[in-house]
Structure formats: C-alpha cells, structure tokens
Amino acid sequence: MSHLNAIALRVTQIKHLSQFHAQVIHHSLQHHSYWVSLLISHCTRLRAPPFYTRLIFNSAQQPNVYAFTNMLKFYSHVGAHDDVIALFDCMRVSGVIPDAFVFPVLIKSWGKAAIVFHGHVLKMGHQGDRYVRNAVMDVYAKHGPICFARKLFDEMSERMVADWNSMISGYWRWGNKVEADKLFTLMPERNVVTWTAMVSGYSKTRDLVTAKRYFDQMPEKNVVSWNAMLSGYAQNGFAEEAIELFNEMVNRRVQPDETTWVAVISSCSDRADPNLANSLVKMLNQKNVRLNSFVKIALLDMHAKCGNLAAAKKVFEELGAFRNAVAWNAMISAYTRVGDLSSARELFDRMPRKNVVSWNSMIAGYAQNGQSTMAIEAFKEMIRSKDMKPDEVTMISVISACGHLGVLELGNWALNFVNENQISLSISGYNSVIFMYSKCGSMKDAKRVFEEMETRDVISFNTLITGFAAHGDGFSAIDLMRKMKGDGFQPDRITYIGVLTACSHAGMLEEGQRVFESISNPDVDHYACMIDLLGRVGKLDEAKRLIKKMPMVPHAGVYGSLLNASRIRKRIDLGEFAARELFKIEPENSGNYVLLSNMYASMGRWGDVERIRGEMRLGGVKKTTGWSWVEFGGKLHKFIVGDKSHERSNDIYKLLKELREKMRKAGYTADKDSVLRDVEEEEKEEMVGTHSEKLAVCFGLLVSEAGTSIRIMKNLRVCWDCHEAMKMISKLEGREIIVRDNNRFHCFNNGSCSCMDHW
DNA sequence: CTAGGGTTAG
C-alpha cells in the first residue's frame, strides 16, 4: 500500500483529500483503522465538514484507539465538545482502552467538569503524563479556582513552555495583570504563544499601547499574533488602527485567515460606512475567502450596522445550521437599530435558546427607542424566567429606562436589584446611575454617586453636567467642567452643550459667553445654545446677529430658540422671521405653527391666528404630541392625544366633560388653563383629539382619593400647564389634590397651591 | 498530543 501512503503525503487540499478517500475506498480499505485515522487527521487539518469526517469514522469496522483519538481531536478542533464526550462514552462501551493521548483532549472538552475525570485519569495511571498534567492545570486556570492551577504548577519538577503559557493566560483571564507579568519575566524561555498571550492580555485591559509594545517586541509573529493585535484594536473601537494594521499585515505578505477577516469586518461595522462595506464584500469575493460561521455572522452584523437590512437578513437566512445564538442576537439588534421593534420582538419570541445577550438586546432595543416601560416590562419578564441572570449590561438599560421615565422609586428598585444580586458596576454602570438620579430630580444622589466613583470617564462628567443643566444649576456645571479639566479630561462637544445649556437656564450670560469663546471649533449645536442663551436674557437682536454670523447653515433648534424667546418678549418681528425659516426647514412640525399662533393670540391679533391655522390646514400639518404617563397602583398608564384605548377611557371623557361644565357654571373662562381649554374646538376641527396631559390628569383625578398623590411621570409641562386648572378643580371638588412631578409635590387645596420639596 | 487570536447586547 505504499502508493496510497504516497498519495496521503500529497493531501494539501480538500480536493486531494477526496481523491485520497476515493483511492482508499477503491482498495476497500475504508474499514481499516489505520486508513481511517489517517483520513481523519487530514480532515482535522483541512477543516472538513463534521458529517463527512464522521462518515469516514463510521466506516471503520472496529475503530482502534488511534481512530478514536483522531476523531476526538477532530471534534475538539471544531469546538464540538458534546460530541467529544459522546464519542468517549462510545469508546468505553466498545472496550477500547483510552491512552494518554485521549485525556488532554477529553479534559479540554469537559471543561469545568473535568475534575470528575481527575479520578479516572489517576486510575488509568496517566497523571504522570506531562500533557495530561498540562490539560488538568489548564482547566483550573480557565475555570478557576486559579490557585489550584498554581498549586499544580508549583509542584511540577520540570515545566514545559505550555505550562507557563497556561498559567499566564489563566491569570489574564481572571484579570490578574500583576501575576501574568511576573510569570512572563520569570520564565526561562518564551515562544510566540507566550508573546501573543501578553498582547491579548493587555488588549483585554484596554491598554492597547502596552499591547502594541509587546507586539512590536515579539521576536517572531504568526497569523495568530497578528490576529490578537488586530482583534484588540477591533474590540476596543480602534477601527482606524485595526485597518491600518491589516494593511501592514498584507504588505508583509502575512496570509490572513478567517479570524483576521472577522476582526477587519467588525472594524468596518464600527465605521457604519456602506461604501466601505461593499468594497470589503467585493474584496472577499475576489480573494475567494472561505467564509466560516464567524465570518458570516460578522458580515451579517456589518450589513446591519451599515444600514443594509436586506443583506443582513439574507445572510441570516443562508446561515442554516450555523444560525446560532449570536446570529439571532445580531439580527434582533439589526431590527431594533432601525426602530422595528415588532420584528425584533417576533424574532426574539421565535428564538429557540435565548441567552443574556438576547434579553439585553431586546431590553436595550426598547430603551433606545423611547419605549422605557416596555424595557422594564421585558426586564421583569427576564427575572421571572428563573434561569436568566441579568448582568451589568441589562442593568444599564434598565436604570437608564427608569431615568427616562423619571420615576425614582423604579430607579431605586433597579439599584436594589443590583445590590441584592451583587452585580458589580463599571464606569458606564455608574454613569447610568448618575443619569437616572439626574432625570429623577435627585441631584444630591447624582453628585454623591459621581463622587464615590473610583475612576471616571468623560461621559461621567458630561452626564452630571447635563444634569446640572437640566436643573438650571449653571455654577455647578461650570465648576464641574473646571474640575474635569483639572483631572486631565478634555471637554468634548457634549460637555460644552451641557455647560452652555446650564448657563442658559440660569441666565448666566457672561459666563456662557466666556465658555462659548473658549470652544476652539464650535459646531451648530453650540451656536444654538448660545442663541438660546441670548434669547433668554432678552438680547434678541444680538441673537439674530449671531445667527447671521454663523459659519454653517442653522438648524431648526437655532430658529426654535429665537421663536420661543420672541414669543416671551413679544418681539413679533423676530418671531415672524424665525417662524418663516422654521416653516422652510421643517414644514411638517406643528409646534412652530402653534408657537407663532400663540404669539399672535397673546397680542390679540386673532386675524393672524386664523391665518396661521389656515396655513396649517393647507399644508396638511397635523398637531402632534408625546405620551403622558401616570402611575397608579404600581402600574404605569400612558396616554396620547385623543387616546381612547385606555380601559377607563369612557370614565375619563365623562369626567372631563363634567369638569368643563362645572367650570363654565362657576364662571371660569376656557382659555385660562390648558386642561380644559378648547377641547371642543380641537375636536371640531378634527385636527387633534384631547391632549394627552388632560387625559392623564383626569385619570389621576379619577383614581386618586383626597390626600393621595397623582404622579405624573413624563411631560413636566403637564404640571406646569395644569397648575391653574388643578387649583380650580381643588376648589370645585372641595378636596385636596396632590400632584407629584419629578421631584416635587404640588399640593392643591381650596384654589391655591403650595409646593413641597421632596427628599 | 500542549499553550495564544474570532461573531452579538451597553
């Protein structure tokens, strides 16, 4: 059979392998263990499909220990650990005695459960085998406790480089940089694997400068080393560096493999550039790159992030048996990214084996598309299904959803969950807590959390500054920016928007101007803040001059600020100017028409009011508003304009009608407040239904008893606009009404109101 | 025979 052996030596491609296989069958040798194990070892090297390899194995009549071992190695190589274990059982049943070569493979597949096999290994007398010893040690290094691995390591009389490498990568896995470093300097001889482990270790700690230093110092590199560095860049968001390194790799004639492409593709995903994506796909086709499931899923994600949902879907459909949890999750986020929550949810519900990331994707999808209640509902569903453990990523979405709702109790409940389940928070976790407290009006707590943080990033500062801005605390915002610079953080555009907004809300003109002048490259949003600030302090002409001086095209926010300021200051000339510009930029936005029309109304120019409404009708502009929320009985009730979907809708409208009649009888004029104003008029015009705020307030009145509070969660405006109405209602109904917005109680009694600070 | 690199969520 020497000519067969000669053919076997020439197997370098799948094509050759199948020719060799055909020859083996031709000579009816496919039942012989020798040829079977030889074929399987080729399969492993060439990554033949598992079913084909198993076919070869099954054709052996009585597979010997070598055939079993090679088949086990094949399964191990493709990561099919369940098959390794199943085949080992099969091996024992057939009475084949496993040798020392089997155990390292088996132990690796058993992973954490390998301790069970420890006894088995001892019984078979293989504990003295250096490879078995390494495998056992590696299991402890990977799955912990690492001190067990260290104990085995220390007891060794002679160590292979692989033993040192196992320990080093084990320490990196557990985040122990110090020990990893120590072993690296201590070890007598290093190889590529050692150096690569250091590169990927430093990448894990996000210290890419040191990672690159080790990479550059490596005496020799292979594809894996390049991949380690490349993935380090890709995973930490350094897309530019990754692509640059890839080019260098190509220049040095290093042949990229699938892992290389995964890193390159995911770097291109970050850029979200459809052109780059297309040229990359073209390149993959040109080079005839073999696409394994990792590459395919990376491509799926890239298409989704570059806005090509159809292509992503196509890849997903074509994945077939490789459609694993990661592919499902990537597809779910593809849908949530474009705001298609129902498709995302449908996929999520259809998904067979959900993992934490699936839940996190769904919850984040809700949270980022303004569906905070749905996010929290999904989270509750998640913790009801006992086998799912929320992690930090889950909690970040949940906590910020609580922030968006402005419900402190809910936020505290989420934080409580974090503590009870010992979920440790990183910087972004704490940032979400700062955001939540700020949005819930609890600046004291926001500040406390910020101060308690050991390490902060730019986002920590920006979140707190934005919080100060929303609360009109200009001094704290400026002060914090100063502190930020002192700590060595460079303020970014968000910082400046925050500080300028804070100055604007606090009416701090000079400080705001100083900050604005210090911005090296102000963008359109900074101009918008500045114009808002000038408008608020009454310097409207200066605001207009600044608009004229802007080096870029102003956006709607710029003119919106001017329009609002003009309304307050009754500068009809500037108001008209701003409104005209706004009608050009966003003709479909009803708010602009309403503002201008209100401005005319406040000056008694009813003819102009009528004219604007006519323009609105002609342009087909529909009035739109957001949702209003009321909490009652631990449940959130939400209302939108003209909402009739609420279970107590009939009662709500009945109450509204009753109140209106009572008010009319009591002699109140309809346009004095917003709860009862022009309801009939609006409905007659069929432009809009009853405002969401009115519905929310009426529902609150309906369900609350005297002395209990109505909690209006969203639309802070509600409380403000409804102020007068609530006064009247308290007088008419003869009862005390407590309305709570984000951080205050408003207590209405007998026609007057007192505010109580809360907390 | 061993050790190093891979896709999804914030």
Side-chain angles (χ1 to χ4, degrees), chain A residues 134-202:
Chain A
N134 175 273
V136 172
M137 194 187 77
D138 196 57
V139 164
Y140 284 121
K142 277 197 175 68
H143 302 97
I146 189 149
C147 53
F148 282 29
R150 184 57 188 258
K151 195 158 171 287
L152 288 170
F153 180 79
D154 286 338
E155 282 166 0
M156 286 176 182
S157 50
E158 52 165 342
R159 300 180 188 105
M160 301 182 289
V161 187
D163 295 320
W164 289 87
N165 290 346
S166 281
M167 276 319 293
I168 288 176
S169 69
Y171 279 127
W172 278 120
R173 178 181 285 264
W174 296 95
N176 192 339
K177 190 182 105 154
V178 180
E179 280 300 321
D181 264 339
K182 214 186 270 174
L183 287 186
F184 180 82
T185 44
L186 228 60
M187 66 195 288
E189 111 184 70
R190 307 179 187 101
N191 60 14
V192 215
V193 180
T194 324
W195 286 92
T196 308
M198 293 309 278
V199 171
S200 75
Y202 276 106

Coordinates of all heavy atoms in Angstrom, one line a residue, chain A residues 134-202:
Chain A
N134 N -0.8 19.1 32.0 CA -1.0 20.4 31.5 C -2.5 20.7 31.3 O -3.0 21.7 31.6 CB -0.2 20.6 30.2 CG -0.6 21.9 29.5 OD1 -1.5 22.0 28.8 ND2 0.2 22.9 29.8
A135 N -3.2 19.7 30.8 CA -4.6 19.8 30.5 C -5.4 20.1 31.8 O -6.2 21.0 31.8 CB -5.1 18.6 29.8
V136 N -5.0 19.3 32.8 CA -5.7 19.5 34.1 C -5.5 20.9 34.7 O -6.4 21.6 35.1 CB -5.3 18.4 35.1 CG1 -5.8 18.7 36.5 CG2 -5.7 17.0 34.7
M137 N -4.2 21.3 34.6 CA -3.8 22.6 35.1 C -4.6 23.7 34.3 O -5.1 24.7 34.8 CB -2.3 22.8 34.9 CG -1.8 24.0 35.7 SD -0.1 24.2 35.3 CE -0.2 25.0 33.8
D138 N -4.6 23.5 33.0 CA -5.3 24.5 32.1 C -6.8 24.6 32.5 O -7.3 25.7 32.4 CB -5.1 24.0 30.7 CG -5.4 25.2 29.7 OD1 -4.7 26.2 29.9 OD2 -6.3 25.1 28.9
V139 N -7.4 23.5 32.8 CA -8.8 23.6 33.2 C -9.0 24.5 34.4 O -9.8 25.3 34.4 CB -9.4 22.1 33.5 CG1 -10.7 22.2 34.2 CG2 -9.5 21.4 32.2
Y140 N -8.1 24.3 35.4 CA -8.2 25.1 36.6 C -7.9 26.6 36.3 O -8.5 27.5 36.8 CB -7.3 24.6 37.7 CG -7.8 23.4 38.4 CD1 -7.1 22.2 38.4 CD2 -9.1 23.4 39.1 CE1 -7.7 21.1 39.1 CE2 -9.6 22.3 39.7 CZ -8.9 21.1 39.7 OH -9.4 20.0 40.3
A141 N -6.9 26.8 35.4 CA -6.5 28.1 35.0 C -7.7 28.8 34.3 O -8.0 30.0 34.5 CB -5.3 28.1 34.1
K142 N -8.4 28.1 33.5 CA -9.5 28.7 32.7 C -10.8 28.8 33.6 O -11.5 29.8 33.4 CB -9.9 27.8 31.5 CG -9.0 28.0 30.3 CD -9.6 27.4 29.1 CE -8.8 27.8 27.8 NZ -7.5 27.1 27.8
H143 N -11.1 27.8 34.4 CA -12.4 27.8 35.0 C -12.3 28.1 36.5 O -13.3 28.2 37.2 CB -13.1 26.5 34.8 CG -13.4 26.2 33.4 ND1 -12.5 25.4 32.6 CD2 -14.3 26.7 32.5 CE1 -12.9 25.3 31.4 NE2 -14.0 26.1 31.3
G144 N -11.1 28.2 37.0 CA -10.9 28.5 38.4 C -11.2 27.3 39.3 O -11.7 26.3 38.8
P145 N -10.8 27.3 40.6 CA -10.0 28.4 41.1 C -8.6 28.3 40.6 O -8.0 27.3 40.6 CB -10.1 28.2 42.6 CG -10.5 26.8 42.8 CD -11.2 26.3 41.5
I146 N -8.1 29.5 40.3 CA -6.8 29.5 39.7 C -5.6 29.1 40.6 O -4.6 28.7 40.2 CB -6.5 30.9 39.0 CG1 -5.2 30.9 38.2 CG2 -6.4 32.0 40.1 CD1 -5.2 31.7 37.0
C147 N -5.9 29.2 41.9 CA -4.9 28.9 42.9 C -4.6 27.4 42.8 O -3.5 26.9 43.0 CB -5.3 29.3 44.3 SG -6.9 28.7 44.8
F148 N -5.6 26.5 42.4 CA -5.4 25.1 42.2 C -4.4 24.9 41.1 O -3.5 24.0 41.1 CB -6.7 24.4 41.9 CG -7.6 24.1 43.1 CD1 -7.6 25.0 44.2 CD2 -8.5 23.0 43.1 CE1 -8.4 24.7 45.3 CE2 -9.3 22.8 44.2 CZ -9.2 23.7 45.3
A149 N -4.6 25.7 40.0 CA -3.7 25.6 38.8 C -2.3 25.9 39.3 O -1.3 25.3 39.0 CB -4.2 26.5 37.7
R150 N -2.2 27.0 40.1 CA -0.9 27.4 40.6 C -0.2 26.4 41.4 O 1.0 26.2 41.3 CB -1.1 28.8 41.3 CG 0.2 29.4 41.8 CD 1.1 29.6 40.6 NE 2.5 30.1 40.9 CZ 2.9 31.3 40.8 NH1 2.0 32.3 40.4 NH2 4.1 31.6 41.1
K151 N -1.1 25.7 42.2 CA -0.5 24.6 43.1 C 0.1 23.5 42.2 O 1.3 23.1 42.4 CB -1.6 24.1 43.9 CG -1.2 23.3 45.1 CD -2.2 23.2 46.2 CE -1.8 22.2 47.3 NZ -2.0 20.8 46.8
L152 N -0.6 23.1 41.2 CA -0.1 22.1 40.3 C 1.2 22.6 39.6 O 2.1 21.8 39.4 CB -1.1 21.7 39.2 CG -2.3 20.9 39.7 CD1 -3.4 20.8 38.6 CD2 -1.9 19.5 40.1
F153 N 1.1 23.8 39.2 CA 2.3 24.4 38.5 C 3.5 24.4 39.4 O 4.6 24.1 39.0 CB 1.9 25.9 38.1 CG 2.9 26.6 37.4 CD1 3.2 26.4 36.0 CD2 3.7 27.6 38.0 CE1 4.1 27.1 35.4 CE2 4.7 28.3 37.4 CZ 4.9 28.1 36.0
D154 N 3.3 24.8 40.7 CA 4.4 24.9 41.6 C 5.0 23.6 41.9 O 6.2 23.4 42.2 CB 4.0 25.6 42.9 CG 3.8 27.1 42.7 OD1 4.4 27.7 41.7 OD2 3.0 27.8 43.4
E155 N 4.1 22.5 41.9 CA 4.6 21.2 42.3 C 5.4 20.5 41.1 O 6.0 19.5 41.3 CB 3.4 20.3 42.6 CG 2.8 20.6 44.0 CD 1.5 20.0 44.2 OE1 1.0 19.3 43.3 OE2 0.9 20.1 45.3
M156 N 5.3 21.1 39.9 CA 6.0 20.4 38.8 C 7.5 20.5 39.0 O 8.0 21.5 39.3 CB 5.6 21.2 37.5 CG 4.2 20.9 37.1 SD 3.8 21.8 35.6 CE 2.1 21.3 35.4
S157 N 8.1 19.3 38.6 CA 9.6 19.3 38.7 C 10.2 19.9 37.4 O 11.1 20.7 37.4 CB 10.1 17.9 38.9 OG 9.5 17.1 37.9
E158 N 9.6 19.6 36.3 CA 10.0 20.2 35.1 C 8.8 20.8 34.3 O 7.8 20.1 34.2 CB 10.8 19.3 34.2 CG 10.1 18.0 33.9 CD 10.8 17.2 32.8 OE1 11.5 17.8 32.0 OE2 10.5 16.0 32.7
R159 N 9.0 22.0 33.8 CA 7.8 22.6 33.2 C 8.1 22.8 31.7 O 9.1 23.2 31.3 CB 7.5 24.0 33.8 CG 7.2 23.9 35.3 CD 6.9 25.2 35.9 NE 6.9 25.1 37.3 CZ 7.8 25.5 38.2 NH1 8.9 26.1 37.7 NH2 7.6 25.4 39.5
M160 N 7.0 22.6 30.9 CA 7.0 22.9 29.5 C 6.7 24.4 29.4 O 6.1 25.0 30.2 CB 6.0 22.1 28.7 CG 6.1 20.6 28.9 SD 4.8 19.8 27.9 CE 3.4 20.2 28.8
V161 N 7.0 25.0 28.2 CA 6.6 26.3 28.0 C 5.1 26.4 28.0 O 4.5 27.4 28.5 CB 7.1 26.8 26.6 CG1 6.8 28.3 26.4 CG2 8.6 26.5 26.4
A162 N 4.4 25.4 27.5 CA 3.0 25.4 27.5 C 2.4 25.5 29.0 O 1.3 26.2 29.1 CB 2.4 24.1 26.9
D163 N 3.1 25.0 29.9 CA 2.6 25.1 31.3 C 2.7 26.6 31.8 O 1.7 27.1 32.4 CB 3.5 24.3 32.3 CG 3.3 22.8 32.0 OD1 2.2 22.4 31.7 OD2 4.3 22.1 32.0
W164 N 3.8 27.2 31.5 CA 3.9 28.7 31.8 C 2.8 29.4 31.0 O 2.1 30.3 31.6 CB 5.3 29.2 31.3 CG 6.4 28.7 32.2 CD1 7.1 27.6 32.0 CD2 7.0 29.4 33.3 NE1 8.1 27.5 32.9 CE2 8.0 28.6 33.8 CE3 6.7 30.6 34.0 CZ2 8.8 28.9 34.9 CZ3 7.5 31.0 35.1 CH2 8.5 30.1 35.5
N165 N 2.6 29.1 29.8 CA 1.6 29.8 29.0 C 0.2 29.6 29.5 O -0.6 30.6 29.5 CB 1.7 29.3 27.5 CG 2.9 29.8 26.8 OD1 3.7 30.7 27.3 ND2 3.2 29.2 25.7
S166 N -0.1 28.4 29.9 CA -1.4 28.2 30.5 C -1.6 29.1 31.7 O -2.7 29.7 31.9 CB -1.5 26.7 31.0 OG -1.8 25.9 29.9
M167 N -0.6 29.2 32.6 CA -0.7 30.0 33.8 C -0.9 31.5 33.4 O -1.7 32.2 34.0 CB 0.5 29.8 34.7 CG 0.6 28.6 35.6 SD -1.0 28.2 36.4 CE -1.2 29.6 37.5
I168 N -0.1 31.9 32.5 CA -0.1 33.3 32.1 C -1.5 33.7 31.6 O -2.2 34.7 32.0 CB 1.0 33.7 31.1 CG1 2.3 33.7 31.8 CG2 0.7 35.0 30.5 CD1 3.5 33.9 30.9
S169 N -2.0 32.9 30.6 CA -3.3 33.2 30.1 C -4.4 33.1 31.1 O -5.4 33.8 31.1 CB -3.6 32.4 28.8 OG -3.8 31.1 29.1
G170 N -4.2 32.1 32.0 CA -5.1 31.9 33.1 C -5.2 33.2 34.0 O -6.3 33.7 34.3
Y171 N -4.1 33.7 34.3 CA -4.1 35.0 35.1 C -4.7 36.1 34.4 O -5.5 36.9 35.0 CB -2.6 35.3 35.5 CG -2.1 34.6 36.7 CD1 -0.9 33.9 36.7 CD2 -2.9 34.5 37.9 CE1 -0.5 33.1 37.8 CE2 -2.5 33.8 39.0 CZ -1.3 33.1 39.0 OH -0.9 32.4 40.1
W172 N -4.5 36.2 33.1 CA -5.1 37.3 32.3 C -6.6 37.1 32.3 O -7.4 38.1 32.5 CB -4.6 37.3 30.9 CG -3.3 38.0 30.7 CD1 -2.2 37.5 30.2 CD2 -3.0 39.4 30.9 NE1 -1.2 38.4 30.1 CE2 -1.7 39.6 30.6 CE3 -3.8 40.5 31.4 CZ2 -1.1 40.8 30.7 CZ3 -3.2 41.7 31.5 CH2 -1.8 41.9 31.2
R173 N -7.0 35.9 32.2 CA -8.5 35.6 32.2 C -9.2 36.1 33.5 O -10.3 36.5 33.5 CB -8.7 34.1 32.0 CG -10.1 33.7 32.0 CD -10.2 32.2 31.9 NE -9.9 31.8 30.5 CZ -10.8 31.6 29.6 NH1 -12.1 31.6 30.0 NH2 -10.5 31.3 28.4
W174 N -8.5 36.0 34.6 CA -9.0 36.4 35.9 C -8.6 37.8 36.2 O -8.8 38.3 37.3 CB -8.6 35.4 37.0 CG -9.2 34.1 36.7 CD1 -8.5 33.0 36.1 CD2 -10.5 33.6 37.0 NE1 -9.4 32.0 36.0 CE2 -10.6 32.3 36.5 CE3 -11.6 34.2 37.6 CZ2 -11.7 31.5 36.6 CZ3 -12.7 33.4 37.7 CH2 -12.8 32.1 37.2
G175 N -8.1 38.5 35.2 CA -7.8 39.9 35.4 C -6.6 40.2 36.3 O -6.4 41.3 36.8
N176 N -5.7 39.2 36.5 CA -4.6 39.4 37.4 C -3.3 39.7 36.5 O -2.5 38.9 36.2 CB -4.3 38.1 38.2 CG -3.4 38.3 39.3 OD1 -2.6 39.3 39.3 ND2 -3.4 37.5 40.3
K177 N -3.2 41.0 36.3 CA -2.2 41.5 35.4 C -0.8 41.3 36.1 O 0.2 40.9 35.4 CB -2.4 43.0 35.2 CG -1.5 43.6 34.1 CD -1.8 45.1 34.0 CE -0.7 45.9 34.7 NZ -0.5 47.2 34.1
V178 N -0.8 41.5 37.4 CA 0.5 41.5 38.2 C 1.1 40.1 38.1 O 2.3 40.0 37.7 CB 0.2 41.9 39.6 CG1 1.5 41.8 40.4 CG2 -0.4 43.2 39.7
E179 N 0.4 39.1 38.3 CA 0.9 37.7 38.3 C 1.3 37.3 36.9 O 2.4 36.7 36.6 CB -0.1 36.7 38.8 CG -0.1 36.6 40.4 CD 1.3 36.3 41.0 OE1 2.0 35.4 40.4 OE2 1.6 36.9 42.0
A180 N 0.5 37.7 35.9 CA 0.8 37.4 34.5 C 2.1 38.0 34.1 O 3.0 37.4 33.5 CB -0.3 37.9 33.6
D181 N 2.3 39.3 34.5 CA 3.6 40.0 34.2 C 4.7 39.3 34.9 O 5.8 39.1 34.3 CB 3.5 41.4 34.8 CG 3.1 42.4 33.7 OD1 3.2 42.1 32.5 OD2 2.6 43.5 34.1
K182 N 4.5 38.9 36.2 CA 5.6 38.3 37.0 C 6.1 37.0 36.3 O 7.3 36.8 36.1 CB 5.1 38.0 38.4 CG 6.1 38.2 39.5 CD 5.6 37.8 40.8 CE 4.9 38.9 41.5 NZ 4.3 38.5 42.8
L183 N 5.1 36.1 35.9 CA 5.5 34.9 35.3 C 6.2 35.1 34.0 O 7.1 34.4 33.6 CB 4.2 34.0 35.1 CG 3.6 33.4 36.3 CD1 2.5 32.4 35.9 CD2 4.7 32.6 37.1
F184 N 5.7 36.1 33.3 CA 6.3 36.4 32.0 C 7.8 36.7 32.1 O 8.6 36.3 31.4 CB 5.6 37.6 31.3 CG 6.2 37.9 29.9 CD1 5.8 37.2 28.8 CD2 7.0 39.0 29.8 CE1 6.3 37.5 27.6 CE2 7.6 39.3 28.6 CZ 7.2 38.6 27.4
T185 N 8.1 37.6 33.1 CA 9.5 37.9 33.3 C 10.3 36.8 33.9 O 11.5 36.7 33.6 CB 9.7 39.2 34.2 OG1 8.8 39.0 35.3 CG2 9.3 40.4 33.5
L186 N 9.6 35.9 34.7 CA 10.3 34.9 35.4 C 10.7 33.7 34.5 O 11.7 33.0 34.7 CB 9.4 34.4 36.5 CG 10.0 34.2 37.9 CD1 10.6 35.5 38.4 CD2 8.9 33.7 38.9
M187 N 9.9 33.5 33.4 CA 10.0 32.2 32.7 C 11.3 32.1 31.9 O 11.8 33.1 31.4 CB 8.8 31.9 31.8 CG 8.5 32.9 30.7 SD 6.9 32.7 30.0 CE 7.0 31.2 29.2
P188 N 11.9 30.9 31.9 CA 13.2 30.8 31.3 C 13.2 30.9 29.8 O 14.2 31.4 29.2 CB 13.6 29.4 31.7 CG 12.4 28.7 32.0 CD 11.4 29.7 32.4
E189 N 12.1 30.5 29.1 CA 12.1 30.6 27.7 C 10.7 30.9 27.2 O 9.8 30.4 27.8 CB 12.7 29.4 27.0 CG 11.7 28.5 26.3 CD 12.4 27.2 25.8 OE1 12.7 26.3 26.6 OE2 12.5 27.1 24.6
R190 N 10.6 31.8 26.2 CA 9.3 32.2 25.7 C 9.1 31.8 24.3 O 10.1 31.7 23.5 CB 9.1 33.7 25.9 CG 9.4 34.2 27.2 CD 9.2 35.7 27.3 NE 9.6 36.2 28.6 CZ 10.8 36.8 28.8 NH1 11.6 37.0 27.8 NH2 11.1 37.2 30.0
N191 N 7.9 31.6 23.8 CA 7.7 31.4 22.4 C 6.6 32.3 21.9 O 6.1 33.2 22.6 CB 7.3 29.9 22.2 CG 6.1 29.5 22.9 OD1 5.3 30.3 23.3 ND2 5.8 28.2 22.9
V192 N 6.2 32.1 20.6 CA 5.2 33.0 20.0 C 3.9 33.0 20.9 O 3.3 34.1 21.0 CB 4.7 32.5 18.6 CG1 4.4 33.7 17.7 CG2 5.7 31.6 18.1
V193 N 3.5 31.9 21.4 CA 2.3 31.8 22.2 C 2.4 32.7 23.4 O 1.4 33.4 23.7 CB 2.0 30.3 22.6 CG1 0.7 30.2 23.3 CG2 2.0 29.4 21.3
T194 N 3.5 32.7 24.1 CA 3.7 33.5 25.2 C 3.5 35.0 24.9 O 2.7 35.7 25.6 CB 5.1 33.3 25.8 OG1 5.5 32.0 25.6 CG2 5.1 33.7 27.3
W195 N 4.2 35.4 23.9 CA 4.1 36.8 23.5 C 2.6 37.2 23.1 O 2.1 38.2 23.4 CB 5.0 37.1 22.3 CG 6.5 37.2 22.8 CD1 7.4 36.1 22.8 CD2 7.2 38.3 23.3 NE1 8.6 36.6 23.3 CE2 8.5 37.9 23.6 CE3 6.8 39.6 23.5 CZ2 9.4 38.8 24.1 CZ3 7.8 40.5 24.1 CH2 9.1 40.1 24.3
T196 N 2.0 36.3 22.3 CA 0.7 36.5 21.9 C -0.3 36.6 23.1 O -1.2 37.5 23.1 CB 0.2 35.4 20.9 OG1 1.2 35.3 19.9 CG2 -1.1 35.8 20.3
A197 N -0.1 35.8 24.1 CA -0.9 35.8 25.3 C -0.8 37.2 25.9 O -1.8 37.7 26.4 CB -0.5 34.7 26.2
M198 N 0.4 37.7 25.9 CA 0.6 39.1 26.6 C -0.1 40.1 25.8 O -0.7 41.0 26.3 CB 2.1 39.4 26.6 CG 2.9 38.5 27.6 SD 2.2 38.4 29.2 CE 2.8 39.9 30.0
V199 N 0.0 40.0 24.4 CA -0.7 41.0 23.6 C -2.2 41.0 23.8 O -2.8 42.0 24.1 CB -0.4 40.7 22.1 CG1 -1.3 41.6 21.2 CG2 1.1 41.0 21.8
S200 N -2.8 39.8 23.9 CA -4.2 39.7 24.0 C -4.6 40.1 25.5 O -5.7 40.6 25.7 CB -4.8 38.4 23.6 OG -4.5 37.4 24.6
G201 N -3.7 39.8 26.4 CA -4.0 40.1 27.8 C -4.1 41.6 28.0 O -5.0 42.1 28.6
Y202 N -3.1 42.3 27.4 CA -3.2 43.8 27.6 C -4.3 44.4 26.8 O -4.9 45.4 27.2 CB -1.8 44.4 27.2 CG -0.8 44.4 28.3 CD1 0.2 43.6 28.3 CD2 -1.0 45.3 29.4 CE1 1.1 43.5 29.4 CE2 -0.1 45.3 30.4 CZ 0.9 44.4 30.5 OH 1.8 44.4 31.5

